[in-house]
Amino acid sequence: MIQRLFLLSLFVITAQAELRVRTDFEGGNAEVVKIDQATKTLRIMPALHEGRGWPCWWSLKLEGLTVGEAFTLEVQAQNKPYRDKTVLAASWCQPKCAWISVDGETWQPSAPGTLSADKVMSYTIPAGAAQISLAWGPPFVPADADKLLTDIAAKLPEAKRFELAKTRGGRPVQGIRIGNENAAHQVWVGSRQHAWEAGGSQVGRGFIQWYASDAARALRANTCLHFIPIMDVDNAAIGAGGKDAVPRDHNRDWAAEPIYPEVAAAQRMIRDIHTKHGLDVFIDLHNPAPKDPVFFFGPFAFERMTGVQQRNYQRWIDIAAASIVEPLKVDPKYHFANYVKTEEERGRMSSGWVRANTGAATISVTLETCWNSPLMSVEGYGKIGAGLGRALMTYLQENPRRE
Ligand SMILES: [Zn+2]
């Protein structure tokens, strides 16, 4: 009898130990290349969403694991072109460490992966549970944005949630306004014009949590902040990359006639804020290339700037370098997006559009937070965001509009 029970339980264990991949949740993305049940090896590539940008983001749930046993996750580049004949380089989908969650809430980096000669990254991961979540980086999906704004609004009775727009897919793009509309200083912070750059939203979360804390009380008293946690909600929801979408992505859509309702709505609001009150600071949050540090893209014309404009941009980067110091220091010099070749295209980037439609005292910058490091956890990104908040507070302690 005992023997039969033992055999039966063996059978049950074997039957449960079939690896299965799920992506049927917000931000889910993986195309299974192969599963080897015997060696517990799963090979994936980011699934291609036709016309919806770079296939680099991946996020999946793996079921049927045996607790305590290791398995192998292999990640290769999507081999079909994402636009015309261009296939995305593998490095964009191969972070040093894969990100792991047992509870779907807290995320840890795996041990660093190893890259084979044929550009397949392999991560060896001990199974901490029968089902675990695996992702390119700590995810931030529309449900996280909703929860974040709910928490902030509950903490600050003066905060006012708003719907920036409904996307082309009918999803709400949510924002929050903190502070009196007529406040002395006006600030706009937004993230995720590129959906794969979940780290941008993680920095945004750290920023807004700091902004809602007691440390920011003085800043809140004389500032009106508009904050958007996810701009490209449609692609973030389906796990598409967004960057280089057809015909253009969100951060190339700041034209006279935007194709994305949320970009058009942001333009209207920013114009309105600037006309009525003057916009002091615009910050767009992104993740850069695999080998990049933490840095700001500054204005192309920075070297030729004079007067109040030159002073403010210089002062911002100096203050930011002193304020954003952990887990990595921000580069104390601006970078410039010189890979964007034409004036016309530069004008369609949000930072350029804001510069062209605001005043000499306004600064408009892009924070690019590196992602390819085990330091870039939810907490790590959060510290960058808190540093950004401290930089903003210091910056606005002197009136940027003074001559
Ligand atoms: Zn970006």
Side-chain angles (χ1 to χ4, degrees):
M1 186 63 191
I2 287 168
Q3 250 183 359
R4 275 182 60 190
L5 265 179
F6 176 71
L7 279 174
L8 190 66
S9 61
L10 251 187
F11 173 75
V12 170
I13 289 166
T14 313
Q16 283 177 344
E18 191 91 338
L19 293 183
R20 286 178 307 274
V21 173
R22 278 185 45 208
T23 56
D24 57 342
F25 53 91
E26 255 194 330
N29 177 315
E31 182 173 338
V32 175
V33 179
K34 58 184 175 190
I35 300 184
D36 187 329
Q37 301 287 354
T39 63
K40 302 270 183 215
T41 302
L42 167 65
R43 166 91 63 101
I44 62 152
M45 56 189 180
L48 185 69
H49 289 271
E50 204 83 32
R52 286 175 167 271
W54 289 4
C56 53
W57 169 260
W58 48 270
S59 177
L60 61 99
K61 290 184 167 71
L62 184 57
E63 300 176 340
L65 293 162
T66 308
V67 177
E69 265 183 37
F71 65 96
T72 304
L73 171 67
E74 297 180 344
V75 181
Q76 68 169 58
Q78 168 59 250
N79 44 28
K80 288 193 282 297
Y82 64 90
R83 190 168 177 157
D84 303 322
K85 293 196 167 77
T86 312
V87 171
L88 188 66
S91 58
W92 293 96
C93 72
Q94 296 173 329
K96 269 194 188 84
C97 308
W99 289 81
I100 308 166
S101 178
V102 170
D103 59 8
E105 298 263 321
T106 53
W107 291 84
Q108 257 92 45
S110 71
T114 51
L115 192 61
S116 70
D118 59 346
K119 294 190 179 164
V120 176
M121 187 71 116
S122 296
Y123 309 95
T124 304
I125 300 170
Q131 173 190 305
I132 67 172
S133 299
L134 298 161
W136 172 96
F140 190 101
V141 295
D144 296 311
D146 188 53
K147 180 178 183 306
L148 175 63
L149 297 186
T150 301
D151 290 350
I152 299 295
K155 195 169 174 192
L156 300 176
E158 73 272 27
K160 192 174 177 305
R161 292 185 63 169
F162 63 93
E163 185 177 294
L164 179 65
K166 279 260 193 311
T167 64
R168 297 198 297 178
R171 298 180 178 91
V173 177
Q174 306 201 54
I176 195 164
R177 191 188 82 204
I178 303 175
N180 188 320
E181 257 185 294
N182 302 312
H185 296 300
Q186 303 283 327
V187 177
W188 184 284
V189 177
S191 26
R192 292 295 270 300
Q193 297 210 74
H194 294 138
W196 68 273
E197 298 163 19
S201 290
Q202 297 287 1
V203 171
R205 170 156 56 192
F207 166 78
I208 200 72
Q209 286 176 340
W210 180 88
Y211 196 91
S213 74
D214 283 346
R217 196 181 291 269
L219 174 60
R220 286 199 304 275
N222 66 354
T223 305
C224 181
L225 168 74
H226 287 81
F227 172 76
I228 313 287
I230 302 178
M231 278 292 279
D232 186 0
V233 171
D234 281 348
N235 284 327
I238 65 168
K243 171 88 180 172
D244 269 350
V246 177
R248 60 194 184 197
D249 67 44
H250 281 60
N251 204 27
R252 296 295 182 279
D253 191 38
W254 292 61
E257 287 179 6
I259 57 175
Y260 301 107
E262 53 274 24
V263 171
Q267 288 179 329
R268 275 196 301 276
M269 280 187 76
I270 289 169
R271 262 206 185 102
D272 192 50
I273 292 165
H274 186 69
T275 306
K276 288 186 182 148
H277 313 288
L279 181 70
D280 292 289
V281 179
F282 173 89
I283 302 170
D284 201 24
L285 303 173
H286 289 251
N287 285 131
K291 288 181 177 160
D292 279 336
V294 185
F295 68 95
F296 281 92
F297 276 129
F300 292 104
F302 180 60
E303 299 298 331
R304 300 191 299 279
M305 280 178 177
T306 56
V308 168
Q309 199 174 35
Q310 198 278 338
R311 177 198 69 198
N312 286 353
Y313 275 105
Q314 186 61 55
R315 198 164 158 263
W316 172 261
I317 195 70
D318 292 343
I319 291 169
S323 308
I324 302 173
V325 291
E326 57 173 357
L328 292 166
K329 288 183 177 168
V330 74
D331 198 325
K333 287 205 158 59
Y334 285 119
H335 294 213
F336 303 97
N338 292 320
Y339 57 90
V340 183
K341 294 296 177 202
T342 67
E343 283 302 318
E344 190 273 333
E345 186 177 355
R346 290 175 177 192
R348 283 190 282 114
M349 297 166 80
S350 60
S351 56
W353 184 91
V354 170
R355 260 172 235 131
N357 287 275
T358 53
T362 310
I363 60 162
S364 169
V365 293
T366 304
L367 175 57
E368 299 273 357
T369 302
C370 98
W371 52 270
N372 202 5
S373 159
L375 296 174
M376 300 328 290
S377 58
V378 171
E379 297 73 22
Y381 280 123
K383 285 179 181 171
I384 299 280
L388 181 68
R390 288 191 299 271
L392 183 66
M393 183 160 74
T394 307
Y395 179 76
L396 290 177
Q397 275 164 359
E398 280 178 33
N399 185 358
R401 303 177 193 193
R402 72 193 185 283
E403 284 303 317

